[in-house]
Amino acid sequence: MPDHNRLQYLSGLLYWVALALSVLLPIIVLVYAGQGVSDPVSLLARAPMVAAGTPVTTAQAGLVAGVALVSLLPMVAALRGMVRLFGAYREGEVLSRDNADTILRIGRNMLLVAAFTVLVPTLQTLILSWHASQKVLAIGFDTGTLGFLMAAGLLTVIGWAMREAAEVKAENEGFV
């Protein structure tokens, strides 16, 4: 019983954190995107591989902003899934097919987030270097990204395992 109360309490806290992040992150990215479009040259400070003084057009800044906004979609989807999952846990619904499917969707979205952490900076740097004397294609992959990718894979597998467990639970309840 204490573990159940702890699960409900922690899920209640995480519900609000995930909900707040799902609202705040898009706003933050929109603000940065707007700043980049209004002052395209300021984007060079965020792209150290691109030579200082490289001309950056408003169209390039708009593309960089668009890439950032699109890359945010899987993170927001994952956060909204977490809101659903923590809401269900908060209400005491732990082992269900819906929760398993939600965990699976969160894992898949987090896999996309991990992929975007490699692709987005690469694409943005390439866009910003269009008018440079030398084009830049820099692909970065670090241990943090690898760890995030592994955690996302773990969530995906846990989602599949939870789905199997929920089906067994439902089958066992049919016998009672």
Side-chain angles (χ1 to χ4, degrees), residues 60-76:
Q60 286 172 284
L63 282 173
V64 167
V67 168
L69 290 170
V70 168
S71 72
L72 184 65
L73 296 175
M75 177 55 88
V76 172

Side-chain angles (χ1 to χ4, degrees), residues 8-24 79-80 82-83 86-87 90:
Q8 287 181 306
Y9 175 75
L10 184 58
S11 294
L13 290 175
L14 291 173
Y15 170 90
W16 291 109
V17 171
L19 184 61
L21 286 173
S22 72
V23 172
L24 292 175
L79 286 167
R80 297 303 297 170
M82 290 178 198
V83 168
F86 294 137
R90 185 177 64 175

Side-chain angles (χ1 to χ4, degrees), residues 6 10 14 34 38 48 84 91 106 113 139 153:
R6 193 175 319 145
L10 184 58
L14 291 173
S38 67
R84 281 190 303 280
E91 299 299 320
I106 292 168
V113 170
I139 300 172

Side-chain angles (χ1 to χ4, degrees), residues 2-118:
D3 286 339
H4 186 69
N5 290 337
R6 193 175 319 145
L7 174 66
Q8 287 181 306
Y9 175 75
L10 184 58
S11 294
L13 290 175
L14 291 173
Y15 170 90
W16 291 109
V17 171
L19 184 61
L21 286 173
S22 72
V23 172
L24 292 175
L25 282 178
I27 292 170
I28 292 168
V29 171
L30 279 170
V31 167
Y32 277 112
Q35 288 174 345
V37 171
S38 67
D39 182 15
V41 176
S42 70
L43 294 173
L44 291 176
R46 296 186 203 137
M49 303 289 286
V50 180
T54 299
V56 180
T57 66
T58 304
Q60 286 172 284
L63 282 173
V64 167
V67 168
L69 290 170
V70 168
S71 72
L72 184 65
L73 296 175
M75 177 55 88
V76 172
L79 286 167
R80 297 303 297 170
M82 290 178 198
V83 168
R84 281 190 303 280
L85 184 67
F86 294 137
Y89 287 172
R90 185 177 64 175
E91 299 299 320
E93 179 189 335
V94 178
L95 186 57
S96 71
R97 171 74 187 237
D98 286 342
N99 286 354
D101 289 341
T102 300
I103 292 169
L104 184 57
R105 280 191 301 276
I106 292 168
R108 288 177 176 162
N109 279 308
M110 296 305 270
L111 285 170
L112 286 173
V113 170
F116 278 146
T117 62
V118 174

